Amino acid sequence: MATGAIRRFQERVLGPNRTGLPSTTSDVWLLGVCYKISEDEASGETNTGCVLAAFQQDFSSKILMTYRRGFEPFRDTTYTSDVNWGCMIRSSQMLFAQALLFHRLGRSWTKKSELPEQEYLETLEPFGDSESSAFSIHNLIIAGSSYGLAAGSWVGPYAICRAWESLACKKRKQTDSKNQTLPMAVHIVSGSEDGERGGAPILCIEDATKSCLEFSKGQSEWTPILLLVPLVLGLDSVNPRYIPSLIATFTFPQSVGILGGKPGASTYIVGVQEDKGFYLDPHEVQQVVTVNKETPDVDTSSYHCNVIRYVPLESLDPSLALGFYCRDKDDFDDFCLRASKLAEDSNGAPLFTITQTHSAINQNNYGFSDDDSEDEREDDWQML
């Protein structure tokens, strides 16, 4: 449970604690799945609210990572908790855990009351709070030290994406391709020349293919891949011109959500209704728990949340990161088609663009239209 002080801090930063559904008539999108809610159903007058119940079950099945206390100290420190500074790391763990669940159990999986599946426990196990757990907060801080990650310090979306890239690379080199703890390539979508020229990030298919080849150690041209897209979409808050595109990303079946929130208070956004974002909140303080496949009766309730919270997308900090999981080449191709269409319909304000090769990046390869000048496309945009 969150202490009173932490809850007051959370409400001061994130705003009033808004729960439930902001609308009784608008569609809800939750990581690529649409829940069509009618006014009659929302009021309970017809069909006993089965769509709402399905949405609630889906939402509460998403993995929640929160502040923990009582873990082993970080190297050369006395920190045994990440309270007040670890929320971005926890938000990123949620996104990666969700990608792993999609990979192992599929998008339609929901948590049941009976004994959990082994694949579910195997998904949670590497997120334990010790250096022996592959994706622990300890190992992320070590892997991301060159990007500013340190015990006791808050970190932004770009740095945590790079930390995951470094950690994934390290784990890949330590194990053979058939026994990877993270069974997917991790690819960060950045601006041309790694962001030095600014502008919208560019997903170069040539680079994504290279990431898959490196992950498989040259054995396969394509593997499952997790795409991370760190963005800055304004100055003090998200520029309204980007909000329709942010909403649209949740209609992609490849969506694994957004790392975002307010300065110093990250959340994991998993769905939208109109211009509101549903999120999982890491600002709860819970005791460390050990989960592994050898303990099927372990209590995993602290990894889930039944309270549906939402935040206006316009109030988000402009620094955020998108995540997309593509299971195979066909899934990736489908993602590229959707993303290209989204960029084409963005009125000159794409979240990111798609190109086949590096040779096309310097051309007018926004890809789809010659109507907008380069200056107009990069308006209100800066790279992290």
Side-chain angles (χ1 to χ4, degrees):
M1 296 294 291
T3 66
I6 289 177
R7 180 58 63 194
R8 287 192 295 273
F9 166 79
Q10 177 192 11
E11 292 184 359
R12 186 171 71 250
V13 175
L14 291 175
N17 194 18
R18 303 174 176 91
T19 60
L21 292 179
S23 170
T24 60
T25 57
S26 301
D27 292 349
V28 174
W29 283 94
L30 186 65
L31 300 185
V33 174
C34 182
Y35 292 92
K36 293 185 175 295
I37 299 173
S38 69
E39 188 170 8
D40 287 342
E41 186 168 356
S43 65
E45 294 178 7
T46 62
N47 209 19
T48 64
C50 63
V51 175
L52 284 173
F55 167 69
Q56 175 76 52
Q57 177 67 22
D58 195 1
F59 180 88
S60 63
S61 296
K62 301 295 168 274
I63 302 298
L64 172 70
M65 304 282 180
T66 71
Y67 292 148
R68 295 285 180 174
R69 61 171 179 262
F71 50 66
E72 63 184 47
F74 293 95
R75 291 181 182 181
D76 303 320
T77 78
T78 58
Y79 285 103
T80 59
S81 172
D82 60 313
V83 173
N84 291 334
W85 58 268
C87 56
M88 177 58 75
I89 299 176
R90 297 302 186 182
S91 297
S92 74
Q93 287 179 319
M94 290 189 246
L95 188 150
F96 271 75
Q98 200 54 56
L100 280 170
L101 270 185
F102 281 10
H103 178 81
R104 289 178 171 145
L105 293 168
R107 175 60 185 87
S108 61
W109 178 87
T110 56
K111 190 176 184 298
K112 310 298 191 300
S113 58
E114 57 263 24
L115 285 178
E117 299 93 325
Q118 178 173 307
E119 293 88 349
Y120 165 74
L121 296 177
E122 289 176 345
T123 297
L124 293 181
E125 184 174 357
F127 296 94
D129 293 299
S130 69
E131 284 192 33
S132 62
S133 298
F135 308 136
S136 66
I137 189 171
H138 299 67
N139 285 322
L140 280 165
I141 286 174
I142 294 169
S145 59
S146 61
Y147 296 102
L149 269 72
S153 298
W154 197 82
V155 65
Y158 178 81
I160 196 62
C161 288
R162 289 298 181 187
W164 273 104
E165 180 185 49
S166 297
L167 183 58
C169 179
K170 177 182 177 181
K171 296 301 179 184
R172 182 181 73 241
K173 292 176 179 177
Q174 290 176 342
T175 55
D176 63 75
S177 57
K178 294 183 179 179
N179 297 297
Q180 293 288 337
T181 309
L182 185 65
M184 63 192 71
V186 175
H187 182 76
I188 295 181
V189 180
S190 63
S192 58
E193 300 179 20
D194 202 26
E196 293 178 6
R197 296 176 55 193
I202 301 168
L203 172 56
C204 180
I205 296 173
E206 185 178 64
D207 287 344
T209 303
K210 181 181 178 182
S211 293
C212 290
L213 278 169
E214 290 176 350
F215 172 77
S216 69
K217 300 180 180 180
Q219 297 180 22
S220 176
E221 184 174 304
W222 203 262
T223 68
I225 188 170
L226 178 61
L227 304 171
L228 300 175
V229 191
L231 301 169
V232 178
L233 301 178
L235 297 176
D236 298 323
S237 60
V238 174
N239 189 311
R241 68 193 304 200
Y242 295 110
I243 288 178
S245 292
L246 284 177
I247 293 170
T249 63
F250 285 97
T251 69
F252 290 20
Q254 300 84 10
S255 172
V256 285
I258 296 177
L259 305 180
K262 298 292 183 68
S266 172
T267 62
Y268 174 43
I269 302 171
V270 295
V272 290
Q273 185 183 42
E274 297 178 343
D275 59 351
K276 309 296 191 299
F278 298 106
Y279 66 91
L280 290 170
D281 183 8
H283 300 90
E284 304 280 340
V285 187
Q286 303 188 95
Q287 190 66 29
V288 166
V289 60
T290 300
V291 176
N292 57 57
K293 59 190 176 188
E294 282 75 37
T295 56
D297 57 345
V298 65
D299 181 7
T300 62
S301 61
S302 65
Y303 286 97
H304 298 276
C305 178
N306 294 320
V307 179
I308 298 171
R309 296 185 174 94
Y310 66 89
V311 61
L313 294 176
E314 64 183 9
S315 70
L316 293 179
D317 186 87
S319 295
L320 47 82
L322 314 179
F324 303 96
Y325 166 71
C326 302
R327 181 176 296 276
D328 51 34
K329 185 62 164 62
D330 288 343
D331 202 23
F332 178 80
D333 290 343
D334 177 77
F335 167 78
C336 288
L337 287 173
R338 293 173 185 270
S340 296
K341 182 65 165 57
L342 182 61
E344 188 176 26
D345 295 341
S346 67
N347 295 318
L351 298 175
F352 59 94
T353 61
I354 310 287
T355 187
Q356 184 70 41
T357 65
H358 278 279
S359 62
I361 290 178
N362 294 324
Q363 301 171 8
N364 183 12
N365 145 64
Y366 174 62
F368 319 98
S369 172
D370 294 323
D371 294 335
D372 298 304
S373 71
E374 189 69 22
D375 289 339
E376 288 174 325
R377 289 178 210 147
E378 296 188 0
D379 186 31
D380 294 318
W381 200 184
Q382 62 185 111
M383 287 300 298
L384 273 161

